[in-house]
């Protein structure tokens, strides 16, 4: 594929790609990604200036209460559909800025927020390993043992928040604490709580979560 | 002083009630905790559930009883798989997706535990206090049956699929509501997934409200009144709620003056002392929040917590809310 020297066309294409994500159109996203590759747009450019840009706008709409959870999840579906097309053309793994494991602590099934954080962190170029919800301490520890840069934990209930502290302690006991940055979040979690349990970072929304991941990995 | 039951009736027909009806929403988890009973026993045995709820009612001396175990009772009865813990609420590990069907009777699975606890409580205390029995709104139940992510996607791209689960959930809840009424309970609808923290007003109007309406209608047809509780920020959907036809609206932690303005002066509102205060707050803070509710909400209030009282709530804080009502004069 020859890279065409028509920046205006590709800029317009990228804008349409971003808009297709914002407009929740998976099929159109797929078409546009294929078209972008055909026209010689670099896959990482299509990813960052098309898909991820669209997803950022979706995040803004969510924060402004213009979009709600179903819309964000559908936009994410559109983004993933496009990503699947681009993936094969991306330089091996180099695409990722780091590896983040995310999970909701044991006893807690509130995973809507975690899923939104996941989408935004992925859109920012990180590989995300989704540990799911109701995740036992050992599974978090195992994820760190297998090698991740950041461990993110979510909890929506005051009753399950203490399980975050248990994970931090278990990581220390296993001698793994220095290998990973720990982030915590979820509606009842506060900065003070995060500091008290010895986490490296805290965010109160998905946007903040991306910024925290970037900050702790600097 | 009139008994709790009569005061509630007076409130519902529009009379001024003094002292106001008060109900920190104590359900299975906190009741089991203060009774020193493992939560799991209360969730799986109607007799134990009724005993812990009765104990809490007598211990705090509030004006309502609510039979509520956990949010997945009906979903489990219809085929979802849960994981149980000793002292935490259960978690759903698998939705049903295919093969979901309406329960054959209002006593299928743990729905029987709820109905059993209801009729026991009605026998124990029904003369003096109304027994409200919680059941899920069709929107929340449908989301559990199909799995929340799948359900959310359906709402936007395959509405007929969402409607299939909504119908199923509605039919099940009609059967359940009838059984609750037969046991002497008042069906009280909780619809946490229809929260304004999760879905837009448009989605609420199209996929939650019509089914709520039909369920309320069915409850009315069976001779009972009802209420609706929706968790989270509902400011965007409040003005639609009265269309459901329910008699009581229970609201979460949000500005009560604004809620009152939106719902109008006549509606009975139940709420809304933030649940976190019962854990971390001081007695004086709870009292202040309680007084605030009555001042902002006015005479047509049931003074209550914003959502269910957490298991680990401090006893003196729950007591403090009851005390606010006892000492209150209009
Ligand atoms: C790693 O770094 C990070 C960084 C940022 C992070 C992060 C991680 N994780 C999240 N963030 C942040 O970014 C996200 C995006 O901006 C944000 O995520 P959030 O999750 O905050 O926001 C979401 C996008 C939208 N918000 C939500 O999804 C939560 C909304 C509310 C209404 C809610 C819902 C929907 C549900 N619930 Co329940 N629920 C409530 C909630 C009420 C409320 N006021 O919040 C809450 C959380 N629930 C509560 C309760 C008590 C329960 N719920 C239960 C069940 C459910 C449903 C299944 C019905 C459903 C969850 C479905 C699901 N799959 O997630 C039960 C628990 C079951 C269990 N074992 O977990 C049950 C125990 C009810 C019962 N008695 O059985 C309360 C917790 C009280 C407490 N003790 O703290 C509650 C606050 C309601 C209340 N007012 O009392 C940020 O927090």
């Amino acid at each position: 594929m020859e890279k065409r020297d028509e920046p205006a066309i590709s800029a317009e294409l990228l804008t349409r790609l971003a808009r297709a994500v914002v407009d929740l159109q998976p099929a159109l996203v797929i078409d546009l990604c294929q078209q972008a590759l055909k026209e010689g747009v670099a896959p990482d450019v299509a990813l960052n200036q098309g898909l991820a840009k669209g997803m950022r706008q979706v995040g803004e709409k969510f924060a402004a209460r213009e979009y709600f959870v179903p819309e964000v999840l559908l936009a994410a579906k559109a983004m993933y559909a496009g990503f699947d097309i681009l993936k094969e053309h991306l330089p091996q793994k180099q695409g990722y800025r780091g590896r983040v494991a995310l999970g909701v602590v044991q006893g807690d099934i509130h995973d809507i927020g975690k899923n939104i954080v996941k989408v935004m962190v992925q859109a920012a170029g990180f590989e995300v390993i989704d540990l799911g919800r109701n995740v036992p301490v050992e599974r978090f520890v195992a994820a760190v043992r297998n090698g991740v840069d950041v461990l993110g934990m979510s909890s929506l209930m005051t009753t399950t928040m203490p399980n975050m502290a248990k994970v931090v302690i278990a990581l220390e006991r296993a001698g793994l604490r220095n290998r990973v940055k720990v982030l915590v979040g979820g509606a009842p979690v506060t900065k003070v709580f995060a500091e008290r349990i010895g986490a490296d970072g805290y965010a109160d929304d998905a946007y903040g979560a991306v910024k925290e991941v970037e900050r702790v990995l600097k | 002083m009139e008994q709790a039951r009569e005061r509630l009736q007076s409130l519902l027909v529009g009379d001024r009630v003094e002292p106001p009806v008060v109900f920190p929403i104590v359900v299975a988890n906190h009741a089991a905790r203060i009774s020193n009973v493992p939560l799991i026993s209360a969730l799986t045995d109607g007799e134990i559930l009724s005993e812990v709820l009765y104990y809490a009612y007598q211990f705090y001396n509030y004006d309502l009883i609510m039979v509520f175990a956990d949010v997945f009772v009906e979903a489990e009865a219809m085929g979802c798989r849960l994981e149980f813990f000793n002292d935490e609420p259960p978690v759903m590990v698998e939705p049903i997706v295919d093969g979901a069907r309406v329960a054959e009777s209002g006593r299928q699975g743990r729905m029987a535990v709820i109905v059993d606890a209801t009729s026991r409580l009605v026998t124990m205390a029904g003369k003096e206090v109304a027994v409200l029995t919680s059941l899920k709104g069709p929107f929340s139940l449908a989301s559990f049956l199909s799995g929340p992510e799948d359900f959310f996607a359906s709402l936007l791209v395959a509405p007929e699929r969402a409607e299939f689960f909504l119908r199923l959930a509605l039919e099940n809840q009609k059967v359940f509501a009838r059984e609750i009424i037969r046991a002497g309970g008042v069906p009280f609808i909780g619809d946490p997934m229809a929260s304004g923290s999760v879905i837009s007003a448009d989605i609420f109007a199209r996929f939650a409200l019509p089914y709520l309406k039909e369920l309320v209608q069915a409850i009315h047809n069976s001779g009972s009144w009802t209420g609706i509780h929706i968790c989270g920020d509902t400011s965007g959907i409040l003005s639609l709620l009265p269309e459901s036809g329910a008699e009581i609206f229970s609201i979460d932690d949000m500005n009560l003056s604004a809620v009152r303005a939106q719902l109008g002066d006549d509606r009975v509102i139940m709420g809304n002392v933030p649940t976190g205060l019962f854990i971390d707050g001081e007695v004086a803070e709870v009292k202040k929040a309680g007084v605030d509710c009555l001042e902002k909400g006015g005479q047509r209030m049931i003074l209550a917590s914003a959502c269910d009282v957490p298991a680990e709530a401090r006893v003196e804080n729950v007591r403090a809310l009851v005390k606010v009502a006892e000492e209150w004069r209009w």
Side-chain angles (χ1 to χ4, degrees):
Chain A
M1 255 172 276
E2 201 64 22
K3 196 165 185 140
R4 281 201 305 180
D5 195 6
E6 290 175 48
I9 293 179
S10 69
E12 197 248 7
L13 189 59
L14 291 170
T15 307
R16 278 168 62 206
L17 184 52
R19 191 173 323 124
V21 173
V22 177
D23 292 345
L24 318 177
Q25 305 282 343
L28 182 58
V29 167
I30 292 174
D31 281 353
L32 291 172
C33 282
Q34 277 160 347
Q35 200 181 326
L37 290 175
K38 220 185 289 156
E39 292 189 7
V41 178
D44 56 324
V45 172
L47 178 64
N48 290 322
Q49 292 171 39
L51 296 179
K53 189 169 168 203
M55 210 55 223
R56 272 196 302 279
Q57 289 167 8
V58 169
E60 280 159 21
K61 283 181 179 285
F62 178 68
R65 296 180 68 80
E66 243 177 274
Y67 274 6
F68 289 77
V69 175
E71 289 81 4
V72 176
L73 295 180
L74 187 56
K77 234 181 197 173
M79 176 190 76
Y80 295 140
F83 185 65
D84 279 343
I85 307 278
L86 301 178
K87 203 164 56 185
E88 298 150 38
H89 304 270
L90 284 169
Q92 286 274 315
K93 288 268 165 189
Q94 268 172 26
Y96 292 123
R97 298 166 65 193
R99 189 185 246 204
V100 181
L102 279 181
V104 180
V105 295
Q106 184 151 39
D108 202 330
I109 52 151
H110 293 93
D111 61 357
I112 296 173
K114 181 269 293 169
N115 291 340
I116 290 183
V117 170
K118 169 182 167 184
V119 168
M120 298 309 292
V121 171
Q122 275 177 326
F126 294 90
E127 181 185 9
V128 174
I129 297 166
D130 189 348
L131 302 174
R133 55 193 193 172
N134 182 29
V135 178
V137 172
E138 312 82 66
R139 285 245 308 280
F140 281 112
V141 175
V144 173
R145 191 169 284 125
N146 292 338
V148 293
D149 305 304
V150 177
L151 180 66
M153 291 184 276
S154 181
S155 159
L156 261 283
M157 300 198 292
T158 48
T159 41
T160 53
M161 272 164 64
N163 292 338
M164 295 178 155
K166 287 188 191 156
V167 172
V168 175
I169 292 168
L171 287 173
E172 273 160 13
R173 293 225 174 105
L176 295 167
R177 182 65 187 87
N178 295 333
R179 273 212 231 158
V180 70
K181 300 290 183 190
V182 175
L183 295 187
V184 292
V189 177
T190 60
K191 194 163 187 227
V192 174
F193 173 82
E195 280 164 10
R196 201 172 66 219
I197 68 165
D200 300 296
Y202 149 84
D204 64 2
D205 62 15
Y207 248 0
V210 173
K211 286 205 199 97
E212 279 295 272
V213 170
E214 288 170 342
R215 182 183 67 81
V216 297
L217 288 184
K218 239 183 216 149
Chain B
M1 183 168 99
E2 270 185 316
Q3 284 198 316
R5 197 185 168 83
E6 283 135 30
R7 289 186 5 260
L8 178 68
Q9 278 312 323
S10 305
L11 180 67
L12 287 173
V13 299
D15 293 343
R16 195 177 80 167
V17 178
E18 202 172 81
V21 178
V22 62
F23 181 47
I25 309 177
V26 171
V27 294
N29 48 10
H30 183 68
R33 183 73 61 98
I34 60 170
S35 310
N36 272 318
V37 166
L39 178 59
I40 189 160
S41 323
L43 302 184
T44 52
D45 182 323
E47 186 175 357
I48 298 179
L49 180 57
S50 67
E51 278 166 3
V52 299
L53 291 173
Y54 188 68
Y55 174 79
Y57 160 69
Q58 291 213 307
F59 183 75
Y60 289 122
N61 195 26
Y62 42 63
D63 297 328
L64 283 167
I65 290 180
M66 186 173 301
V67 182
F68 173 75
D70 59 79
V71 290
F72 299 123
V73 169
E74 301 99 307
E76 184 193 33
M78 293 174 81
C80 296
R81 206 158 59 77
L82 307 189
E83 180 184 346
F84 284 88
F85 305 93
N86 208 38
D87 264 319
E88 308 280 337
V91 302
M92 191 177 86
V93 283
E94 233 178 303
I96 343 178
V97 189
D98 298 311
R101 62 200 141 54
V102 175
E104 273 158 28
S105 84
R107 290 172 177 264
Q108 187 152 308
R110 283 189 304 131
M111 285 156 66
V113 171
I114 301 298
V115 173
D116 182 31
T118 302
S119 63
R120 285 170 187 275
L121 284 159
V122 169
T123 308
M124 289 190 261
K127 284 209 175 71
E128 58 199 72
V129 62
V131 177
L132 311 186
T133 301
S134 172
L135 76 170
K136 287 285 108 354
F139 187 88
S140 298
L141 179 52
S143 81
F144 301 155
L145 297 176
S146 108
E149 298 220 344
D150 177 80
F151 187 70
F152 288 149
S154 309
L155 294 172
L156 299 173
V157 298
E160 62 299 335
R161 184 175 163 81
E163 277 151 9
F164 166 79
F165 285 106
L166 283 162
R167 272 275 128 213
L168 212 61
L170 173 63
E171 290 315 313
N172 192 77
Q173 296 314 68
K174 284 186 187 170
V175 174
F176 193 23
R178 227 176 289 134
E179 196 69 32
I180 290 168
I181 295 168
R182 210 172 290 148
V186 175
F188 200 92
I189 304 166
D191 215 351
M193 291 295 257
S195 166
S197 306
V198 180
I199 57 169
S200 65
D202 287 348
I203 295 275
F204 181 84
R206 179 159 171 214
F207 295 100
L209 187 58
Y211 298 87
L212 275 174
K213 238 191 225 172
E214 205 175 320
L215 181 56
V216 170
Q217 192 62 56
I219 292 170
H220 286 168
N221 290 346
S222 300
S224 178
W225 59 274
T226 186
I228 297 179
H229 174 82
I230 301 184
C231 309
D233 177 359
T234 45
S235 47
I237 57 175
L238 270 181
S239 56
L240 297 171
L241 270 186
E243 275 182 53
S244 66
E247 280 77 3
I248 293 180
F249 301 102
S250 165
I251 51 139
D252 207 330
D253 180 12
M254 45 199 284
N255 181 338
L256 192 53
S257 307
V259 172
R260 179 49 90 196
Q262 255 180 296
L263 284 179
D265 285 338
D266 289 341
R267 306 274 171 199
V268 177
I269 299 176
M270 180 162 150
N272 72 345
V273 174
T275 51
L277 259 194
F278 292 91
I279 306 174
D280 305 328
E282 297 300 322
V283 164
E285 290 175 276
V286 174
K287 283 196 162 170
K288 186 176 173 299
V291 167
D292 218 44
C293 284
L294 291 172
E295 277 172 356
K296 288 181 176 153
Q299 292 181 9
R300 305 205 45 70
M301 273 305 282
I302 294 176
L303 179 59
S305 48
C307 209
D308 54 333
V309 168
E312 73 277 36
R314 292 166 57 194
V315 165
E316 56 274 30
N317 285 347
V318 181
R319 278 215 178 101
L321 188 65
V322 177
K323 196 123 187 102
V324 168
E326 276 171 13
E327 290 169 356
W328 184 268
R329 295 294 172 267
W330 293 112

